[in-house]
Every structure is written in C-alpha cells, then in structure tokens.
Amino acid sequence: MDSALASDDKAVYLPHTVRVAAKILVVGHFAVGKTTYVGSLSEIRPLRTEETMTQAGALTDDLRGTEDKTTTTVAMDFGRLTLSESLVLYLFGAPGQQRFTRLWRDMTNGALGALVLADTRRLEQSFPVMAVLEEHGLPYAVAVNQFEGSPRFAEPEVREALDLLPETPLVTCDARDRISSTHALIALVQYLQARQTRSSQEIV
C-alpha cells in the first residue's frame, strides 16, 4: 500500500493564501484508469490504497483489455491540485468494483461534482456509477479514457450509448498525460461553474 508522501516533495504544504477548498470525485468502473488519472494531476505524491489482486476477485473483476493489471484500489486515491493562490481542488478517486457501492455513496458527501472515466470497450459498466451520482444529485462530466487498441466512436454515438443529457460534458482524454487530464478536469469545472451561474440567476 502506497500512502506516504515523499519527504522531498516541495509542494506538500498549501500556501497560506488558500481560502477555498473543493472536493472533486474521480469515478468509473474497474480498471478504467482512475488511479492513473489522479496521479497524473496531483501536485503532491498521491495517496494510494492499492493491494495485489488475488484469485478471490477473479469471478467479479472484469480484466478485458487490462490483463496485465495486478493491483486494485481498495479504499480510494487522493490527490491535490492548487488552481490559484486562494483555491485548491482535492481529488478523490473511488474504487471501481460494484461491491464498493456503499463507499461510493459515502464519498459523494461534500463533493461539488465528479468526473466519470469511461472505456469504450465496456461502456455498459459506467451505468452503475452514473446511477449513484444521479441518485445523490451530483453533477458530472464524462471523459473517455483512450486506451491503446480501444475502439474509437464519434461523440454522438458515445453520448447515445451512455444515454447522456445534452448538457452533460463528454470529452476524451489519456489518463497518463497531465495536459490531457487537465483538459478533462477543465470541462468538468466549467460545467459546474455554468450550473452555479444558472442557479444564481434563477434565485435572483
């Protein structure tokens, strides 16, 4: 289990100017790239709760396209991204197996929104995750993680397959790449800001 911060990390401590912290979830089905995504964005060494996979999960963990995977998240991934002198994002990556559904529900508490990672080889496995978010009224964007060799589809096809609302952002990303991952996060943040603006206008 990798949970210790490196002692030589220069960005372990937040600037004293930070006044606002926001919680963002990174969710998705098993082996979709959540741990990789959080790791590519975090400015600190991410906290990871990975354990070696055993035969006990062979009947429930779908390894299609990820046969070389040997570890899995059993609690959460945690990372941090400072956006400005006053604003910091805390990234919480949820475990992907449906047996952790209760933990997914707990993690929605206090979150502003979620980024759902999806794999075009297993789009149907995204539905249970999105169902939990919708049940709790948590807005989300979807980012298709483009694995090598995975089929590519036009945006309207993916949107229809996932039964997304027209306003739900849908982007592609490579979870291994910081710039690509950042663009996906920006799509979510812009969506959350737009929703907040509309809500404020309705109140007025």
Side-chain angles (χ1 to χ4, degrees), residues 58-75:
L59 297 178
T60 57
D61 297 338
D62 187 351
L63 287 174
R64 281 181 293 165
T66 57
E67 288 80 5
D68 294 333
K69 185 175 178 63
T70 58
T71 62
T72 186
T73 299
V74 295

Side-chain angles (χ1 to χ4, degrees), residues 15 26 33 37 44 51 62 69 76 88 91 97 99-100 128 141 143 146 154 192 204:
V26 179
Y37 182 88
I44 59 173
E51 294 291 351
D62 187 351
K69 185 175 178 63
M76 69 174 183
V88 63
L91 306 174
Q97 296 94 324
R99 58 181 177 270
F100 292 112
Q146 295 186 314
L192 297 177
V204 174

